[in-house]
Amino acid sequence: MCNIWKSRASDALRPEHMRKLPVGLRTVNLSGGEPFLRADLSEFVREVHRRCPKAKIAISTNAYMPDRICAAMDEILRIDPSVHLAVSLDGLGEAHDKIRGDEGAYEAAASLIDRLVSQGFEGLRLSMTLSASNLDEFVRVAELAASRGLELGVVAAHAARTHLGVASLPGASRAMLAGLRKDFQRIISRWLRSWRPRQWVRGHFAAKTYAYLAGRPWQFRCRAGSDFFFLQADGTVYSCSVLGKRLGNLVEQDWYDIWRSGAAAEARRMVSACREGCWMICNARSIYRARALRVIAWALGAKLLAHLRLFRLRRPGRRDG
C-alpha cells in the first residue's frame, strides 16, 4: 500500500546493530514492509530493549500471517511485556482488500485482531493511513476499534520522497472532505469526551490530520534529525522519512560519528527552513513537547465544546498545490 515493497534497499541491518543506537531513545517503531517476515524480529526487540531500556517499542504489521504473528508475539512479550502491536487497517472488508490489492487481506487482519483481543493482549491498537482512497472508511474503522475496546491511530498519507521516490499523492477533493467533515467531528468529539488525556491528544492529532488533508498543514518548526530519525533496512539513517537527508549508515559507522557529522548538520539546516508541514506521529511527539501548553489549551477548550456538542472542524478550503 505504501510502495515500500518497491524499495531496493537491502536488509543489511542485524539485531547486533541495535547496540549502536543512542541509549536515550524513548520511542522505537519497528516497521516495514512487514517486520514479521524477519525470523530474527524477537532478537531486534531484545537488543533494542537492552540498549534503550526507557524506550516504548511498537511493531507495525499488515497482519497477513496471523499464526506466525501470534507465535512471534508470545516470544516478544517474554522479552518485553510492554511491546505494542499496531495492526494496519485501511477500511473494512472489500475496502481494505482493494487498497492492499490482495483479496483476503482484511480476513487475515480481522482474524489476528479477534485472536489477540480474546487473549486479553492489552498492547493492541489499530492504525489507519488516510488518503483520498479511504476517507469514507474512517468512521467504520473507528467504530470497529470502539467495539473491540481498542485505540485507533490515524495519520495522513505522505509522499515518501526520501526512500521511495514518491513525489506526490492524489489529493482528497474539497467536496469529499466537506461531505465527511461531520463524521470526523463525531469521532473526534467522542475521543474528546473521554476522561483519558491520551484520547484528548488523539483527538487533537486527528483534527490536525484532517486539516493536513484539507490543505491547511499546521506550520511549526520541525525537529527531524534532532529529536527523531528514520533508519532504513540497509542501515541508512535519514533525518525523516519524507524529505529527509542522509546522515550516514549505522552498519558502517558508529552512532555519534553519524549524529555529529557534517551531513547531519546540513540536514538540520535544511529542516529548519522546511515548510512542508508534514503531520506524522514522529514529528507530532516533538511538537507536543515543545508546545505542550498550547496543545493542552486546545484539548481543554475542544473537550468543553465536545461535551456541549459544539465541537466543529473548519470547513475545507482550496487545497494548496
Side-chain angles (χ1 to χ4, degrees), residues 113-281:
I113 293 166
D114 289 342
R115 287 172 64 172
L116 293 177
V117 168
S118 67
Q119 292 171 15
F121 175 46
E122 297 181 356
L124 178 65
R125 67 178 176 86
L126 305 185
S127 179
M128 185 178 190
T129 301
L130 293 169
S131 69
S133 301
N134 67 343
L135 275 174
D136 55 351
E137 289 290 309
F138 171 58
V139 170
R140 298 179 70 199
V141 174
E143 296 291 357
L144 173 68
S147 71
R148 300 292 196 276
L150 302 175
E151 292 185 352
L152 170 65
V154 295
V155 66
H158 287 64
R161 293 167 231 182
T162 294
H163 61 300
L164 296 182
V166 180
S168 63
L169 294 171
S173 69
R174 180 177 178 179
M176 180 187 298
L177 285 162
L180 295 170
R181 185 171 65 97
K182 290 184 178 180
D183 289 335
F184 274 74
Q185 286 174 178
R186 179 163 58 86
I187 299 302
I188 294 172
S189 292
R190 177 192 298 169
W191 293 342
L192 290 169
R193 287 195 297 271
S194 165
W195 290 105
R196 298 172 59 200
R198 184 181 179 89
Q199 290 293 80
W200 310 346
V201 175
R202 194 173 299 281
H204 178 275
F205 186 87
K208 293 300 182 183
T209 298
Y210 182 87
Y212 179 87
L213 289 164
R216 297 191 306 271
W218 191 17
Q219 292 300 314
F220 51 80
R221 184 186 175 196
C222 183
R223 298 281 298 171
S226 296
D227 287 1
F228 60 93
F229 60 91
F230 171 69
L231 176 60
Q232 191 168 258
D234 64 0
T236 304
V237 180
Y238 291 102
S239 53
C240 79
S241 62
V242 178
L243 292 173
K245 296 293 185 180
R246 185 183 187 277
L247 310 186
N249 189 288
L250 194 65
V251 174
E252 303 165 358
Q253 300 169 265
D254 290 330
W255 175 257
Y256 290 103
D257 290 339
I258 295 171
W259 204 239
R260 297 168 180 165
S261 66
E266 176 60 29
R268 293 179 190 119
R269 284 193 291 271
M270 184 277 290
V271 168
S272 68
C274 182
R275 296 294 180 268
E276 189 78 9
C278 300
W279 188 240
M280 298 177 291
I281 192 62

Side-chain angles (χ1 to χ4, degrees), residues 27-32 35 48 56-61 84 86 125 230-231 281 285:
T27 305
V28 175
N29 180 23
L30 301 175
S31 186
V48 171
K56 295 180 180 178
I57 301 173
I59 304 174
S60 300
T61 179
H84 282 64
R125 67 178 176 86
F230 171 69
L231 176 60
I281 192 62
R285 287 193 180 100

Side-chain angles (χ1 to χ4, degrees), residues 48-70:
V48 171
H49 185 53
R50 284 175 176 171
R51 178 67 174 172
C52 313
K54 295 182 180 180
K56 295 180 180 178
I57 301 173
I59 304 174
S60 300
T61 179
N62 61 24
Y64 274 31
M65 305 174 292
D67 292 339
R68 180 166 179 161
I69 293 169
C70 285

